[in-house]
Amino acid sequence: MTNSVEVCVVGAGAAGLAAARRLRAGGADVLVVEARDRVGGRAHTATLGGFDVDLGCGWLHSADQNPWTSLAEKLGLQIDRTAPPWETPAFGDQGRDERAAFREAFAAFDAKVEEVARTGHDRPASELLEDGGRWNTVLDAVSTWYSGAELDRISVLDYAAYADDDVNWRVVEGYGATVQAYGEGVPVRLGVAVETIDRSGARLRLATSGGELFADQVVIAVPTPILADERLKITPPLPEKIEAAAGLPLGLADKVVLRLDRPDLFEPDTGLFGRTDTLETGSYHLRPFGRPLVEAFLGGRWARALEAEGPGASAAFAIEELSAVFGSDLRKRLVPLASTAWGADPFALGSYSHALPGCAGAREVLARPVEDRLFFAGEACSRDAFSTAQGAYATGIAAAEQALRASGKLAPAD
């Protein structure tokens, strides 16, 4: 590969691709290097059982404002506006008539978070659960699916900062497929891992698995554990970046995709939460897009425990839990197609970021440029759309414009 470029973008996920496209539009000479053998990062669509299935991010959150909605449409992809299954969930051990009570408890918890956040004092979100509340375990389990971690690891201030308008759609062909199509034409070198960025010289020197690369500027768009663990090492070191990344770990939300040989057993696009008395449970999307599939979601410590058990453990658990709800006959009608293990993925080490209690300000620290040469992007850098591909996109654009401005290619704002 060429060993000299104006701007190198490290990471070909949603943030890195957005940064690269904006930089090229601004006239910069750009190269993206990606350790994986594909683009997309934590957005990944696979063909399973003849269907395009998202194994990474799958929902267009705040879809009516989400830039990926219009990007998907421009790429000729289809937007499905069916309501998400979590809006009307059934409860495996309680029955469908418990929806209203759960939604009321969830609303009360969110209101308490907003109230406490207004004081400006941070604390673990778990402290705001109602003493002895009937739905506490479910609220904690739900946190593992949307944050990847239990509420005791979630900053109240960060939780409250997330902005969402509750409009959630999907791309029929896949969110990962959308990001991949968006990246077509971007100069990307796959299978190239950046090991060190040396900022001691006049130009930045990147030591990679594909040789040395020199750049005037670098946009770093990698998951936070890569920085926190110094798998990508910056020299001289930037301790404030390492500390910020450590305060924004990636939670874990894994997926299991099952094929259903009797689709008529369930209504399309319905949802089910498993048990309400334990965190060792899952959330299930029955017949997404009307397909003969079930998508199971497993999060937090329970997902990590299942990953540790090895391949097949997550699928086996999901089948057993569903069979406990619908009867043992269902067991023979479900066939595992795929299971993710994002925690074990060496290029991600998790699913999406959450701020630890006391670390809500780490997002701003992580996103701050260094010497007008190093710029940072990725969902963890977003103040109010973290854990999402639209947050990644926005930070990629912002980092690119910072770089263009610093190089004189983008006029300063009036």
Side-chain angles (χ1 to χ4, degrees):
M1 72 181 177
T2 179
N3 69 347
S4 182
V5 68
E6 278 187 287
V7 189
C8 178
V9 177
V10 182
L17 294 175
R21 286 181 60 119
R22 180 65 185 92
L23 285 162
R24 295 186 82 200
D29 175 33
V30 180
L31 176 67
V32 182
V33 291
E34 167 57 50
R36 296 182 187 275
D37 60 2
R38 61 171 179 81
V39 303
R42 287 167 278 166
H44 179 42
T45 304
T47 302
L48 303 172
F51 301 103
D52 296 322
V53 178
D54 278 314
L55 298 180
C57 55
W59 289 93
L60 294 160
H61 299 300
S62 298
D64 53 345
Q65 306 171 34
N66 190 324
W68 289 108
T69 303
S70 59
L71 287 170
E73 291 176 325
K74 289 176 183 176
L75 290 165
L77 305 178
Q78 306 171 72
I79 304 299
D80 181 85
R81 291 169 170 78
T82 303
W86 62 80
E87 289 189 358
T88 54
F91 294 88
D93 62 354
Q94 295 289 336
R96 294 178 181 269
D97 58 346
E98 298 297 313
R99 293 173 182 162
F102 169 70
R103 291 174 70 87
E104 183 177 338
F106 205 159
F109 175 75
D110 278 350
K112 187 69 175 294
V113 168
E114 295 292 338
E115 176 187 348
V116 172
R118 283 193 289 270
T119 71
H121 298 294
D122 207 359
R123 56 201 292 193
S126 58
E127 294 183 4
L128 305 189
L129 292 169
E130 177 188 359
D131 289 341
R134 173 187 179 189
W135 295 102
N136 286 357
T137 302
V138 183
L139 291 170
D140 214 6
V142 169
S143 177
T144 71
W145 303 322
Y146 64 67
S147 294
E150 291 76 8
L151 292 169
D152 63 341
R153 291 179 56 80
I154 303 297
S155 154
V156 163
L157 295 182
D158 196 56
Y159 183 115
Y162 181 79
D164 184 61
D165 65 4
D166 293 324
V167 177
N168 298 281
W169 299 333
R170 293 185 112 179
V171 183
V172 175
E173 295 85 355
Y175 212 148
T178 305
V179 176
Q180 181 180 14
Y182 173 76
E184 290 182 6
V186 174
V188 180
R189 296 290 182 266
L190 298 175
V192 177
V194 177
E195 297 152 0
T196 305
I197 300 176
D198 183 351
R199 61 190 184 92
S200 62
R203 302 191 78 204
L204 298 165
R205 181 175 67 87
L206 290 78
T208 84
S209 59
E212 284 193 339
L213 175 65
F214 292 86
D216 299 316
Q217 299 172 315
V218 172
V219 175
I220 300 173
V222 299
T224 54
I226 305 301
L227 296 174
D229 298 344
E230 292 192 271
R231 297 184 181 220
L232 191 170
K233 190 171 184 178
I234 300 173
T235 61
L238 296 171
E240 70 279 12
K241 297 296 185 182
I242 296 171
E243 181 181 359
L248 300 167
L250 297 195
L252 182 58
D254 277 332
K255 291 183 180 180
V256 175
V257 182
L258 307 170
R259 186 173 184 98
L260 178 66
D261 76 351
R262 279 276 309 278
D264 59 297
L265 292 173
F266 303 121
E267 291 295 320
D269 286 300
T270 51
L272 174 78
F273 292 167
R275 294 173 59 179
T276 59
D277 61 346
T278 177
L279 292 176
E280 296 181 0
T281 187
S283 172
Y284 302 90
H285 187 173
L286 309 176
R287 295 190 58 200
F289 302 111
R291 297 166 177 171
L293 302 175
V294 174
E295 292 180 355
F297 299 83
L298 305 162
R301 298 182 182 105
W302 180 228
R304 293 189 189 279
L306 289 169
E307 278 195 18
E309 288 186 26
S314 295
F317 170 79
I319 290 172
E320 285 303 311
E321 185 161 52
L322 287 167
S323 298
V325 175
F326 295 106
S328 59
D329 185 60
L330 183 65
R331 187 178 293 107
K332 64 185 180 184
R333 302 194 178 283
L334 294 170
V335 178
L337 295 180
S339 298
T340 66
W342 287 104
D345 184 317
F347 307 117
L349 301 174
S351 299
Y352 29 71
S353 70
H354 61 89
L356 295 172
C359 297
R363 298 194 186 280
E364 184 176 355
V365 175
L366 184 62
R368 193 176 298 145
V370 175
E371 300 170 342
D372 281 340
R373 298 200 297 170
L374 291 178
F375 306 87
F376 296 81
E379 54 86 10
C381 293
S382 174
R383 294 184 182 182
D384 60 7
F386 45 85
S387 78
T388 70
Q390 75 260 30
Y393 175 90
T395 63
I397 298 295
E401 293 187 346
Q402 290 167 348
L404 290 169
R405 191 172 291 112
S407 65
K409 289 185 169 66
L410 182 69
D414 292 335

